[in-house]
Amino acid sequence: EDVVVRGVALDKNQAKVMVGNIPDKPGSAAKLFDALASANVIVDMIVQNLGRNGVANMTFTVPRDDSERARVAVEKVLEELGGGEVTLFGDIVKLSVVGIGMRSHSGVASTLFSALAEAKSNIQIISTSEIKISVVIDEEGAADAVRIVHTAFGLDKAEA
Amino acid sequence: EDVVVRGVALDKNQAKVMVGNIPDKPGSAAKLFDALASANVIVDMIVQNLGRNGVANMTFTVPRDDSERARVAVEKVLEELGGGEVTLFGDIVKLSVVGIGMRSHSGVASTLFSALAEAKSNIQIISTSEIKISVVIDEEGAADAVRIVHTAFGLDKAEA
Ligand SMILES: C[C@@H](O)[C@H](N)C(=O)O
Ligand SMILES: C[C@@H](O)[C@H](N)C(=O)O
């Protein structure tokens, strides 16, 4: 597969909101996002993986200025959900690799994840789309990570 | 925000591969995707949420025909990773809502998740991109879910 990775973008204006141990049943996500939508919180990445023992964790990213508002909106709805807790993380960045012709993500993922391993950057969140793979990593060391990812894909400069 | 949701797509050819309890340290994801890339497994969605107690879970989707090959490739690398387990789920589908002008996902997410709650469809995985929100749900009841999501967004017909 002839994938051409066109660039690497770094978004430093993100904060991570983790909502843990919410009941893993229909309606939970709806109530959570009803509350966020009415609080006018701008949500970028939404990631949820499989739940266990009847509860699930959901993480989403918001602009740093919205993070407190997001936390308050989530806290208000946790009781209605029947449980759970919310944690904010401000010191993260989103690094994305953008490509064309990505029929499968495995080749680009393998190069990206190897470059991040070389940069000793721990991958906290992964999310993919047709043309992009995004990861959330620590802000500390992110500039190095971007440089190493560039070299790994043979690119010249950041699209920060 | 004036988001126009243009359609709902249902991909029934997906299987879910869950890799649980892998060490949450730089290099794990790289080794995993090295193995998948060399086994020529086509990977679509990749989702990882925050780890706990030093381990993390990662889920990805593959065409149903690739699921066995994916499982074998992952199993071979788990020892090198230092732990973890792999589980296959074949009876899932990916439902995606495609929109334009999605600066924030919270409004579209709230409508989508409410429609899925109405359809009694439990959301297993969530992943977003600039123009799309995708969820993995059970195959059973998916046709109903698509119909209810259509109505919720005022659309006429599926883009199946
Ligand atoms: C956790 C949450 O996504 C739940 N499974 C729901 O469907 O709303
Ligand atoms: C779990 C895995 O993503 C790990 N955090 C890594 O960086 O490779």
Side-chain angles (χ1 to χ4, degrees):
Chain A
E1 157 180 282
D2 213 357
V3 182
V4 177
V5 170
R6 283 191 307 216
V8 179
L10 194 68
D11 184 344
K12 294 186 177 168
N13 179 33
Q14 297 269 322
K16 195 171 66 185
V17 182
M18 181 177 161
V19 185
N21 297 320
I22 58 172
D24 190 8
K25 56 179 204 294
S28 297
K31 289 193 183 89
L32 192 58
F33 279 83
D34 271 353
L36 289 163
S38 16
N40 273 328
V41 172
I42 292 178
V43 172
D44 179 21
M45 291 169 89
I46 306 171
V47 174
Q48 180 202 313
N49 212 334
L50 295 169
R52 293 204 162 167
N53 309 327
V55 288
N57 300 328
M58 195 187 289
T59 309
F60 53 90
T61 59
V62 298
R64 289 204 181 164
D65 294 347
D66 281 6
S67 55
E68 198 41 46
R69 217 150 32 98
R71 198 173 61 74
V72 168
V74 171
E75 246 160 29
K76 274 200 201 132
V77 81
L78 285 177
E79 212 180 302
E80 194 191 335
L81 284 183
E85 72 268 347
V86 58
T87 324
L88 274 187
F89 302 84
D91 52 358
I92 53 102
V93 297
K94 182 172 115 178
L95 183 152
S96 305
V97 169
V98 185
I100 35 181
M102 268 204 211
R103 206 166 64 87
S104 163
H105 290 106
S106 48
V108 172
S110 147
T111 307
L112 172 62
F113 299 161
S114 299
L116 292 169
E118 196 189 320
K120 304 222 185 318
S121 205
N122 194 42
I123 303 166
Q124 298 176 23
I125 297 180
I126 303 171
S127 181
T128 56
S129 80
E130 291 63 43
I131 59 159
K132 201 156 116 170
I133 299 182
S134 297
V135 294
V136 167
I137 56 175
D138 271 352
E139 187 165 33
E140 198 190 320
D144 275 356
V146 171
R147 206 169 32 67
I148 293 173
V149 168
H150 269 110
T151 312
F153 286 107
L155 298 167
D156 289 332
K157 56 179 198 331
E159 265 179 17
Chain B
E1 163 182 289
D2 212 0
V3 180
V4 177
V5 170
R6 281 189 304 211
V8 178
L10 194 69
D11 184 344
K12 293 186 178 168
N13 180 34
Q14 299 268 321
K16 191 170 67 184
V17 182
M18 179 174 166
V19 185
N21 296 320
I22 56 173
D24 189 8
K25 58 178 204 293
S28 297
K31 289 195 185 86
L32 191 58
F33 279 84
D34 272 351
L36 290 163
S38 14
N40 273 327
V41 172
I42 293 179
V43 172
D44 180 20
M45 291 169 87
I46 307 171
V47 174
Q48 180 202 314
N49 213 333
L50 295 169
R52 290 199 169 178
N53 309 326
V55 288
N57 301 327
M58 194 186 290
T59 309
F60 53 89
T61 59
V62 298
R64 290 202 180 164
D65 293 346
D66 281 6
S67 56
E68 197 44 45
R69 219 152 26 100
R71 198 172 61 77
V72 168
V74 170
E75 244 158 32
K76 273 200 203 130
V77 80
L78 285 177
E79 211 177 301
E80 196 190 335
L81 285 182
E85 72 268 347
V86 59
T87 325
L88 275 188
F89 302 84
D91 51 357
I92 54 102
V93 296
K94 182 174 122 179
L95 184 151
S96 306
V97 169
V98 186
I100 36 181
M102 268 206 212
R103 204 165 64 87
S104 163
H105 290 105
S106 48
V108 173
S110 149
T111 308
L112 172 62
F113 298 160
S114 299
L116 292 169
E118 194 189 321
K120 304 222 186 320
S121 202
N122 194 43
I123 303 167
Q124 298 176 23
I125 298 179
I126 303 172
S127 180
T128 56
S129 79
E130 292 63 44
I131 57 158
K132 199 157 119 166
I133 300 181
S134 297
V135 295
V136 167
I137 55 175
D138 271 350
E139 185 165 32
E140 203 192 316
D144 274 357
V146 171
R147 208 168 33 66
I148 293 172
V149 169
H150 269 110
T151 312
F153 286 107
L155 299 166
D156 289 333
K157 58 180 197 329
E159 263 182 15

